[in-house]
Amino acid sequence: MNKPVIKVGIVAVSRDCFPESLSVNRRKALIDAYTKKYDAAEIYECPICIVESEIHMVQALEDIKAAGCNALCIYLGNFGPEISETLLAKHFDGPKIVIAAAEESQNDLIQGRGDAYCGMLNASYNLQLRNVKGYYIPEYPVGDAEDCADMIHDFLPIAKAYVAVHDLKIISFGPRPMNFLACNAPIKQLYNLGVEIEENSELDLFESFNNHANDPRIPEVVADMEKELGEGNMKPGILPKLAQYEITLLDWIEAHKGYRKYVALTTKCWPAFQTQFGFVPCYVNSRLTGRGIPVSCEVDIYGTLSEFIGGIVSDDIVTLLDINNSVPKDMFKASIEGKYDYKYTDTFMGFHCGNTCSKKLTAGTMKYQLIMARALPEEVTQGTLEGDIVPGEITFYRLQSTADNVLRAYIAEGEILPVPTCSFGGIGVFAIPEMGRFYRHVLIQGGYPHHGAVAFGHHGKALFETFKILGVPVDEIGYNQPAGVRYPTENPWG
């Protein structure tokens, strides 16, 4: 749910002093290589080769639009005409990749030499001259048909995220909890990214929730929750209220998404939510996130945007966690040291009350929110989904606007270790190489909040390119520097 399908229009270009057949034949070979290895429905071969002509450019643009393409590949089959090819990039409303054909054989370097290696330089120069946005050039953008097919396939999650963000509405119910500046969210950068936002009052949500009392769909949703929870259904009496709340949110999405195709939510969950609604919303948040509609806690608008992007890029369920607590040294010595190649400072525990989807827990159990229950009756704090998060590779990341409107991000790859947490909530023992230095010189130094998004699997490469294509300055994308590579703010004497 809640994500686009990408179709890449592949347009070959040719400089008029080179044989057009060189670009056309190389384009055909690229199409053949792609369809042999990947899904043919993901690409479209534009029959128009742009040869040094603005008219060809218009014809190609109209053709790929008519074919339903929402992403573009400009393929330099030879040197290429930098004016008309970059005009195509400028006028195409969507993400684009620019790649170039390598030479095929030492036996054909006279009439069969295309010089696209050279043409890429002029193309990139002209893209910058025209202030073209939303284009991606791979790390090494020159290759044979198979290489270029792989480049286009690697581009798909980046393109998908770009398209999705530009058709996204974030629906927020706030304001943020008091003394919770971590969820500060300047909306200017949301607009710069192409995201629409609708900010509502918690009272608006409460009114809508009350209007859904006795909704005839509640029993069906309760039955679905019971099936999902199985033996972990330890609080069956709270399920009708949770079902009522889930229906409320889904109806609000349908009524309020407007002209946007995709939606992410962020809701308030304390301090008055429990006493007025009579439960905590964690489990419902987990269910919607599991369907591709991320719901962040504590009115974390950039948190839900981060989740949404990660879900698109990874094509999987994501979660949002507190970068929460250190691993006890006795746990490290007993369960990690000597078994995994990590230092103590590489580890930490990621936690949230119960918003992680059941599919990403080793065993999910419906419980109450222990921290809130220290000050409130337990019965109004029910609704968390607790359990250890599944071990395996992860990417920890966040996209954020600072209070003074600077767009920045961080990405770090690591893993969740198969170590029992001995704790509560949705929680896992995380290990990220050089986490201690990353924590100090990216997270703390960069003024990031304590919420981080988690994608399951290693997706740093695609997330890095996604943040770039969305307009995050490269020097504002932090990552965990390897040992021996110093951060600018790191003390050289340790």
Side-chain angles (χ1 to χ4, degrees):
M1 289 181 62
N2 207 37
K3 59 186 177 184
V5 174
I6 295 298
K7 186 176 183 180
V8 183
I10 299 176
V11 179
V13 298
S14 174
R15 203 167 189 89
D16 61 1
C17 53
F18 286 80
E20 180 183 356
S21 59
L22 196 58
S23 277
V24 171
N25 291 335
R26 286 175 170 177
R27 182 192 71 209
K28 290 178 179 178
L30 169 58
I31 298 296
D32 184 56
Y34 195 96
T35 54
K36 283 182 179 177
K37 192 171 184 181
Y38 303 112
D39 186 354
E42 296 168 343
I43 59 171
Y44 165 73
E45 182 181 7
C46 176
I48 299 159
C49 182
I50 297 176
V51 186
E52 208 83 35
S53 166
E54 295 173 18
I55 302 303
H56 287 164
M57 180 276 294
V58 173
Q59 291 171 345
L61 183 64
E62 291 175 348
D63 181 76
I64 58 176
K65 285 182 178 178
C69 298
N70 53 0
L72 167 67
C73 171
I74 296 174
Y75 178 58
L76 278 65
N78 58 41
F79 190 100
E82 62 262 31
I83 291 177
S84 51
E85 71 194 12
T86 54
L87 279 172
L88 178 65
K90 179 179 180 178
H91 291 294
F92 180 79
D93 184 18
K96 34 258 173 183
I97 179 175
V98 186
I99 55 177
E103 312 303 352
E104 284 98 349
S105 171
Q106 63 182 347
N107 300 319
D108 192 17
L109 285 176
I110 298 177
Q111 295 302 325
R113 197 187 78 192
D115 299 357
Y117 189 86
C118 185
M120 272 298 301
L121 298 174
N122 277 23
S124 62
Y125 178 47
N126 212 291
L127 287 166
Q128 293 175 44
L129 286 177
R130 295 184 185 279
N131 294 314
V132 175
K133 306 297 182 185
Y135 68 88
Y136 162 65
I137 297 176
E139 287 296 300
Y140 186 69
V142 183
D144 59 21
E146 289 75 19
D147 296 332
C148 288
D150 291 340
M151 293 179 209
I152 294 171
H153 192 260
D154 287 346
F155 172 60
L156 289 182
I158 302 164
K160 190 181 295 186
Y162 184 95
V163 169
V165 166
H166 284 80
D167 221 340
L168 172 67
K169 174 180 276 190
I170 295 175
I171 297 175
S172 170
F173 298 98
R176 68 176 188 272
M178 186 176 64
N179 286 332
F180 222 66
L181 297 178
C183 294
N184 177 54
I187 65 172
K188 172 64 174 172
Q189 287 291 5
L190 295 175
Y191 292 150
N192 290 346
L193 289 165
V195 176
E196 188 58 54
I197 180 165
E198 175 190 294
E199 295 180 284
N200 304 279
S201 162
E202 191 177 16
L203 187 60
D204 296 326
L205 181 60
F206 191 48
E207 177 190 40
S208 182
F209 173 75
N210 288 331
N211 290 339
H212 281 79
N214 302 314
D215 189 293
R217 295 169 290 178
I218 289 174
E220 180 182 354
V221 177
V222 168
D224 188 59
M225 290 177 169
E226 291 171 338
K227 181 180 178 182
E228 178 183 359
L229 290 168
E231 294 181 0
N233 184 12
M234 309 302 288
K235 302 290 181 182
I238 202 64
L239 296 189
K241 283 187 177 181
L242 293 173
Q244 180 180 335
Y245 181 67
E246 181 175 306
I247 292 166
T248 300
L249 291 179
L250 290 172
D251 282 357
W252 192 287
I253 288 171
E254 288 305 310
H256 289 256
K257 68 180 180 182
Y259 75 107
R260 292 297 175 120
K261 294 179 181 177
Y262 314 110
V263 174
L265 298 173
T266 180
T267 61
K268 195 170 179 178
C269 44
W270 62 273
F273 189 100
Q274 315 94 296
T275 58
Q276 300 308 304
F277 285 78
F279 57 89
V280 292
C282 312
Y283 178 51
V284 173
N285 293 357
S286 80
R287 280 170 56 84
L288 294 188
T289 300
R291 300 183 204 175
I293 306 171
V295 187
S296 72
C297 318
E298 297 157 327
V299 201
D300 183 0
I301 291 171
Y302 281 92
T304 201
L305 175 60
S306 300
E307 284 188 277
F308 179 76
I309 291 170
I312 297 293
V313 167
S314 67
D315 198 25
D316 196 3
I317 298 165
V318 293
T319 191
L320 188 76
L321 299 178
D322 290 353
I323 304 167
N324 199 68
N325 59 281
S326 60
V327 172
K329 287 188 176 180
D330 61 350
M331 177 185 286
F332 181 81
K333 288 183 178 296
S335 302
I336 301 172
E337 190 174 47
K339 300 177 182 178
Y340 305 98
D341 189 21
Y342 293 109
K343 304 185 298 294
Y344 173 68
T345 53
D346 292 340
T347 64
F348 68 100
M349 297 180 82
F351 156 89
H352 238 158
C353 312
N355 63 321
T356 300
C357 178
S358 61
K359 294 182 177 66
K360 296 301 180 182
L361 300 177
T362 55
T365 303
M366 173 68 72
K367 293 187 177 180
Y368 67 95
Q369 216 290 337
L370 176 62
I371 297 172
M372 296 178 184
R374 290 169 181 161
L376 292 170
E378 180 185 318
E379 58 267 21
V380 301
T381 66
Q382 296 174 2
T384 63
L385 184 66
E386 299 202 1
D388 285 2
I389 303 174
V390 294
E393 294 180 341
I394 56 90
T395 307
F396 218 99
Y397 66 99
R398 184 178 177 92
L399 177 62
Q400 176 75 26
S401 172
T402 63
D404 55 350
N405 222 37
V406 175
L407 197 61
R408 58 174 50 138
Y410 67 76
I411 307 165
E413 291 184 342
E415 63 176 310
I416 298 174
L417 298 175
V419 173
T421 64
C422 308
S423 193
F424 65 96
I427 189 166
V429 176
F430 285 72
I432 291 174
E434 299 299 315
M435 177 64 190
R437 297 168 58 237
F438 175 73
Y439 174 74
R440 173 61 184 88
H441 296 284
V442 174
L443 303 183
I444 292 175
Q445 192 70 31
Y448 285 102
H450 65 291
H451 285 179
V454 178
F456 294 88
H458 283 171
H459 302 284
K461 177 181 177 181
L463 282 168
F464 185 80
E465 296 297 343
T466 296
F467 292 153
K468 281 170 55 180
I469 200 173
L470 288 173
V472 182
V474 176
D475 59 357
E476 293 289 354
I477 306 176
Y479 60 95
N480 52 323
Q481 302 276 31
V485 180
R486 193 167 61 86
Y487 292 97
T489 55
E490 191 169 5
N491 191 318
W493 291 276

